[in-house]
Amino acid sequence: EERLRRVRDRVRPFRDFPVPGVLFRDISPLLKDPAAFRTLIDLLEDHLRASFPQIDFIAGLDSRGFLIGPPLAQRLGVGFVPIRKKGKLPGPTESVSYSLEYGKAELEIQSDAVEPGQKVIIVDDLLATGGTMCAACELMKRLKAEVLECLVIIELKLLKGSEKLKSVPFYSLLQYD
Ligand code: 5GP
């Protein structure tokens, strides 16, 4: 599709970032081009409207999920909830630790961010190993929210991250090997 091509053209590969051997997919050109960014949000909005009759919240992952989540939530007329790296959110929180390639990290959500049974879409820019998205799903489970879907712009297929999400529905706009 023409609209997908316009988005794909604004994702830039960088070799050996952040460490040697990694091909990093940079979405900065997408953010810099207002027409392409609008097209991105159009495509994600169309997908969600066609798939889910009711959504209560968009939850975004620290930090590039914060760039896509709020404009998407505004289009849908729903609220946005941040899922942050540890130590950034005030008040009572739930936290989940997960393993990275080297070491560990922790994600947090405010305990009152969503009510039990509310329907949530979790968004991020990219799915690699799926570890980050999996931790976010665990946080939603702790709050007894219903994750309707995990949604990303880019999926790195070879890492098979979507398999880690098991029964949670997953959608990616662009796929790379
Ligand atoms: P995972 O936990 O799935 O291995 O890694 C996904 C997380 O790392 C996402 O939050 C994403 O923003 C970041 N990430 C990993 N690799 C890339 C990449 O090549 N490009 C971008 N934009 N983000 C990446």
Side-chain angles (χ1 to χ4, degrees):
E1 200 205 326
E2 170 63 21
R3 292 192 300 170
L4 263 182
R5 195 189 55 74
R6 282 211 299 271
V7 173
R8 187 179 263 268
D9 282 351
R10 292 288 179 271
V11 177
R12 177 169 61 163
F14 273 101
R15 253 172 234 299
D16 300 318
F17 183 88
V19 293
V22 171
L23 182 64
F24 190 85
R25 305 289 174 175
D26 177 28
I27 63 161
S28 303
L30 195 48
L31 299 166
K32 198 173 172 182
D33 177 341
F37 188 67
R38 179 191 296 272
T39 301
L40 167 71
I41 302 300
D42 286 345
L43 285 164
L44 296 176
E45 179 188 3
D46 288 354
H47 161 69
L48 289 178
R49 284 192 187 281
S51 306
F52 305 105
Q54 198 213 325
I55 295 168
D56 293 311
F57 289 104
I58 302 290
L61 292 182
D62 198 345
S63 58
R64 282 178 290 268
F66 297 173
L67 302 169
I68 308 146
L72 187 56
Q74 283 283 304
R75 287 281 190 89
L76 296 168
V78 305
F80 174 80
V81 167
I83 294 176
R84 297 216 57 179
K85 289 176 183 145
K86 193 180 173 58
K88 307 285 187 185
L89 290 168
T93 58
E94 294 288 334
S95 67
V96 166
S97 67
Y98 62 104
S99 35
L100 298 172
E101 221 168 331
Y102 304 103
K104 285 176 98 186
E106 243 175 291
L107 284 183
E108 276 186 343
I109 191 167
Q110 286 174 318
S111 303
D112 64 357
V114 299
E115 301 295 321
Q118 286 190 309
K119 298 178 196 304
V120 177
I121 304 288
I122 306 176
V123 302
D124 203 357
D125 62 334
L126 179 141
L127 189 89
T129 66
T132 310
M133 195 55 99
C134 221
C137 287
E138 178 58 32
L139 285 176
M140 287 301 168
K141 203 168 149 188
R142 297 257 186 99
L143 298 186
K144 301 184 169 63
E146 183 187 344
V147 179
L148 296 177
E149 186 173 77
C150 297
L151 173 61
V152 299
I153 308 172
I154 298 162
E155 176 184 9
L156 304 184
K157 280 283 205 191
L158 285 177
L159 295 172
K160 299 192 159 98
S162 65
E163 288 176 15
K164 195 177 270 175
L165 300 176
K166 297 186 190 110
S167 59
V168 183
F170 172 74
Y171 181 84
S172 59
L173 206 56
L174 305 173
Q175 298 80 30
Y176 296 86
D177 279 339

